[in-house]
Amino acid sequence: MKRSARLLVSAAALLLVGSAGRAADIIEGPTADYCRTVGTSNLVLTDNIVDLKTQVVKLMDESVAVAKSPEWINSSRPAFVWASEAKVACGMAYGYLKTNYKDEDTLNKCECFHDRMVEYMH
């Protein structure tokens, strides 16, 4: 029950932060992208499919470890939320890669969400 409440609080905090960014858009203020990588990620630029699989699995494993860690589950920082998003996106990207298909959208999300997770951990 505690975990569900923390997830709800984290999600609400993200919504509040996101709506604050949208409010700035109304008055023509600068907008901040939630990803540092705007456009194509480094993963998408990797040509060697074996290296790409290795990189995606590494990001996925790190995200799974954070998503399972009581330290981050119980933290007030949203690292757990981004870890959960990253493990799903990286898992999907890896699924595509197993068929030798590079899905740019899931690769971009995998790297982006992992980067956000790491950012909130420090």
Side-chain angles (χ1 to χ4, degrees):
M1 187 65 178
K2 287 182 182 180
R3 182 176 176 197
S4 297
R6 286 191 184 104
L7 273 174
L8 184 58
V9 169
S10 293
L14 284 174
L15 286 174
L16 288 174
V17 170
S19 63
R22 284 191 294 271
D25 291 345
I26 295 172
I27 57 172
E28 304 291 329
T31 60
D33 212 0
Y34 65 85
C35 285
R36 299 249 184 258
T37 54
V38 179
T40 307
S41 71
N42 292 329
L43 292 176
V44 172
L45 298 175
T46 304
D47 290 328
N48 184 321
I49 199 83
V50 174
D51 290 342
L52 185 55
K53 285 179 185 178
T54 301
Q55 291 174 21
V56 168
V57 167
K58 177 183 174 282
L59 297 180
M60 183 172 53
D61 288 345
E62 290 173 1
S63 301
V64 168
V66 172
K68 287 183 173 181
S69 169
E71 174 187 2
W72 297 110
I73 291 170
N74 299 318
S75 173
S76 62
R77 291 190 248 163
F80 169 80
V81 174
W82 287 107
S84 299
E85 294 294 333
K87 73 179 186 177
V88 170
C90 294
M92 290 174 63
Y94 181 68
Y96 284 120
L97 290 171
K98 286 176 25 177
T99 64
N100 293 323
Y101 176 71
K102 282 175 55 174
D103 183 67
E104 290 187 14
D105 186 47
T106 57
L107 288 169
N108 285 330
K109 287 179 180 178
C110 172
E111 186 172 296
C112 169
F113 298 163
H114 181 273
D115 287 351
R116 291 296 289 190
M117 173 193 79
V118 171
E119 180 180 336
Y120 283 110
M121 292 173 71
H122 298 100

